[in-house]
Amino acid sequence: MTTVVAGSTKLIQKINRLLKLSPEETDAVASLTFQTEQVSHHTLLVREGERVTRCCLLIEGYSVRHKTNRNGMRQIVAIHMPGDMLDLQHLLLDRADHNLQTITNATVGWIEIKRLKKVMLAFPRIAEAFAREALIDASMFREWLLNVGRRDAKTRVAHLICEFVARREAMGDMRAEEVMLPFTQELVGDATGLTSVHVNRMLRRLSEEGALNRQNGAVTIADWQRLRNIAEFDPSYMHQLVEERVGS
Amino acid sequence: MTTVVAGSTKLIQKINRLLKLSPEETDAVASLTFQTEQVSHHTLLVREGERVTRCCLLIEGYSVRHKTNRNGMRQIVAIHMPGDMLDLQHLLLDRADHNLQTITNATVGWIEIKRLKKVMLAFPRIAEAFAREALIDASMFREWLLNVGRRDAKTRVAHLICEFVARREAMGDMRAEEVMLPFTQELVGDATGLTSVHVNRMLRRLSEEGALNRQNGAVTIADWQRLRNIAEFDPSYMHQLVEERVGS
DNA sequence: CGGGAGGTTGACCACCATCAACTGCTGTGG
DNA sequence: CCACAGCAGTTGATGGTGGTCAACCTCCCG
């Protein structure tokens, strides 16, 4: 439990993609301090129905938001990566309407909502950046709805992978092709409305068609254009968060 | 093309559900003027990819937001009713990522985004109300994702109907049971990821099970508790927008 | 070495899509 | 006033996509 500044580097990068910050505004974000915590995978950070009084910055690792139906079937509604502020919505809504859970070992940083609100009052453009992020999140939910509601299984899986890769690349990671996905097949199923068994079959198909590489369960991109074509992937629904990718 | 004040009555009611306005704030909203327009059903108000510089208040009638996949299959991602400000997201995002279309004859009121922004600057609590509305919209997208991804056809259809009825009742309409739905079966299918044919069969099942009444295509609620139970419907995902309903 | 989590594969089946035909309204024009 | 077109709804037959169940494998880690 220490305070960190380092954790906010990726946060600042991300905010700058949404809205160019002035030096003072950058300082204001950089001087935010977080109570950091190391958590293992599958840690529930926020539970549906809970009152939330603090926000969580994902510093390292990955997490998802999910809801469950009456039979306990799980629908993942979003995937988060380092630099994402989780629970920004709880600045204005007091109860969580979904669960928030890590899917890998992770480092998170907690901050009181009151303190965040203070910074946003003092620097309206920081507030605007957060609002923009929330609106882009909503756009991504809509795209996921289209994905789950009106695309077949292969396309859905390919689309999920494209989105993830594009976001990670935008985040500044190395060429995304070279990077393995941190997803279990069950997780992909829960995000796409499929079963893990069927996800497995679709991954095989995508690999047979030359879009993906697989070796002992780990997946990498074999052919971005082909994958993207199969996926019907067009990143414009992520607005400023992800630039259109030029090269192959 | 006249300016109206009357159109904002429902808007004020709605904002007050999200956040109690002061008399001055209420005045500020009430004095907003809109360029009104009568449009017929199926009018495209905003097209995906368009630059948007004005917002649209739905005064009378119903509209939906939708996206399409490569094969032209349509996914409806939200349904709007009188009093809803459409395109609030375009205060901060300049391009539309989905289509906006009326589904009935409707009256809409246009307002320049600049003018809205001015009011929001002068009255931060009005800005806060709009932000809260956007966040609740996002929560509804998440619930729809769960609906489409992890519920079977009968439950999906029932859930859609429950949500619509609860919202309309919250809006102050008469007992929702007595009200017919303005939906074609194809529309219900496009909102739930089903075909109109299967929606038809599910409506029949719901009526056989005593949850709905049907007479020449028009649907009313027969037994709210039963329908709600079939639907797994719990309105808390709509936060302050819809109060928990106490009676039957 | 053993247990557990995740991945892989096959057999079987159900839910929902597809296709097609028919009905009943409603609005419109002759 | 009727004829007709068009849209929405209804129903049946048929088939495919993806779910379910089960067995087995691999890898990792204690």
Side-chain angles (χ1 to χ4, degrees), chain A residues 114-132:
Chain A
K114 284 181 216 160
R115 286 182 44 226
L116 258 186
K117 276 190 172 169
K118 229 173 265 177
V119 174
M120 289 166 70
L121 263 179
F123 298 92
R125 281 167 51 85
I126 294 178
E128 184 172 334
F130 284 148
R132 195 169 280 185

Side-chain angles (χ1 to χ4, degrees), chain B residues 8-59:
Chain B
S8 41
T9 311
K10 284 189 169 166
L11 174 61
I12 292 173
Q13 280 173 22
K14 186 181 175 187
I15 293 179
N16 267 302
R17 264 182 284 147
L18 299 174
L19 188 153
K20 198 73 193 142
L21 293 183
S22 72
E24 301 84 53
E25 288 157 351
T26 305
D27 282 354
V29 177
S31 66
L32 286 173
T33 54
F34 296 84
Q35 289 251 310
T36 59
E37 189 183 356
Q38 308 274 346
V39 296
S40 66
H41 66 330
H42 300 171
T43 302
L44 253 185
L45 300 171
V46 176
R47 189 186 306 271
E48 184 174 346
E50 245 175 35
R51 276 220 153 73
V52 179
T53 60
R54 53 185 196 166
C55 266
C56 179
L57 170 66
L58 187 55
I59 297 170

Side-chain angles (χ1 to χ4, degrees), chain A residues 132-144:
Chain A
R132 195 169 280 185
E133 179 172 353
L135 292 175
I136 293 175
D137 277 356
S139 174
M140 292 169 70
F141 293 140
R142 290 191 288 268
E143 182 72 21
W144 280 41

Side-chain angles (χ1 to χ4, degrees), chain B residues 25-242:
Chain B
E25 288 157 351
T26 305
D27 282 354
V29 177
S31 66
L32 286 173
T33 54
F34 296 84
Q35 289 251 310
T36 59
E37 189 183 356
Q38 308 274 346
V39 296
S40 66
H41 66 330
H42 300 171
T43 302
L44 253 185
L45 300 171
V46 176
R47 189 186 306 271
E48 184 174 346
E50 245 175 35
R51 276 220 153 73
V52 179
T53 60
R54 53 185 196 166
C55 266
C56 179
L57 170 66
L58 187 55
I59 297 170
E60 219 183 288
Y62 295 96
S63 72
V64 299
R65 309 181 187 211
H66 61 86
K67 309 187 66 151
T68 55
N69 75 357
R70 184 160 49 194
N71 308 328
M73 299 175 79
R74 185 169 82 145
Q75 178 67 42
I76 290 174
V77 298
I79 300 170
H80 286 294
M81 39 185 62
D84 285 357
M85 286 290 300
L86 316 175
D87 293 312
L88 271 180
Q89 64 168 319
H90 295 114
L91 291 168
L92 295 178
L93 302 177
D94 61 346
R95 278 189 189 281
D97 51 61
H98 59 273
N99 306 294
L100 184 57
Q101 190 169 23
T102 58
I103 59 172
T104 62
N105 295 339
T107 311
V108 298
W110 299 98
I111 185 168
E112 287 300 314
I113 280 177
K114 284 181 212 156
R115 286 182 47 225
L116 259 186
K117 276 190 171 167
K118 230 174 261 176
V119 174
M120 288 168 70
L121 263 178
F123 298 91
R125 280 167 51 84
I126 294 178
E128 184 173 334
F130 284 148
R132 195 170 280 181
E133 179 172 352
L135 292 175
I136 293 174
D137 276 356
S139 174
M140 291 169 69
F141 294 140
R142 291 190 287 269
E143 183 71 21
W144 279 41
L145 259 173
L146 175 63
N147 204 36
V148 172
R150 289 299 187 206
R151 292 194 178 116
D152 66 18
K154 191 177 72 171
T155 311
R156 276 187 231 179
V157 172
H159 194 279
L160 182 80
I161 294 173
C162 281
E163 179 184 301
F164 184 78
V165 165
R167 284 175 63 195
R168 189 150 59 173
E169 219 183 8
M171 214 184 63
D173 271 20
M174 73 217 79
R175 302 259 330 176
E177 277 83 347
E178 297 147 15
V179 180
M180 295 188 321
L181 304 176
F183 302 153
T184 64
Q185 295 177 2
E186 191 178 357
L187 190 148
V188 174
D190 285 347
T192 52
L194 301 167
T195 58
S196 62
V197 173
H198 205 62
V199 168
N200 182 289
R201 291 195 251 261
M202 294 303 104
L203 289 174
R204 181 141 71 97
R205 285 258 298 276
L206 288 170
S207 136
E208 283 165 5
E209 294 177 16
L212 297 180
N213 287 321
R214 293 193 312 155
Q215 41 229 350
N216 30 324
V219 173
T220 55
I221 310 295
D223 182 339
W224 172 256
Q225 284 305 339
R226 188 171 301 189
L227 183 64
R228 178 187 166 147
N229 185 42
I230 293 171
E232 306 182 4
F233 180 69
D234 172 355
S236 48
Y237 68 92
M238 291 188 274
H239 298 264
Q240 295 95 334
L241 204 59
V242 171

Side-chain angles (χ1 to χ4, degrees), chain A residues 6-57:
Chain A
S8 41
T9 311
K10 284 189 169 166
L11 174 61
I12 292 173
Q13 279 174 22
K14 186 182 174 185
I15 292 179
N16 267 303
R17 263 182 285 147
L18 299 174
L19 187 154
K20 199 73 193 141
L21 292 183
S22 70
E24 301 83 53
E25 288 157 351
T26 306
D27 281 355
V29 177
S31 66
L32 286 173
T33 54
F34 296 84
Q35 289 253 311
T36 60
E37 189 184 355
Q38 308 273 347
V39 297
S40 65
H41 66 329
H42 300 173
T43 301
L44 252 185
L45 299 171
V46 176
R47 190 187 307 269
E48 185 174 346
E50 247 176 33
R51 276 222 154 70
V52 179
T53 60
R54 53 185 196 166
C55 265
C56 178
L57 170 66

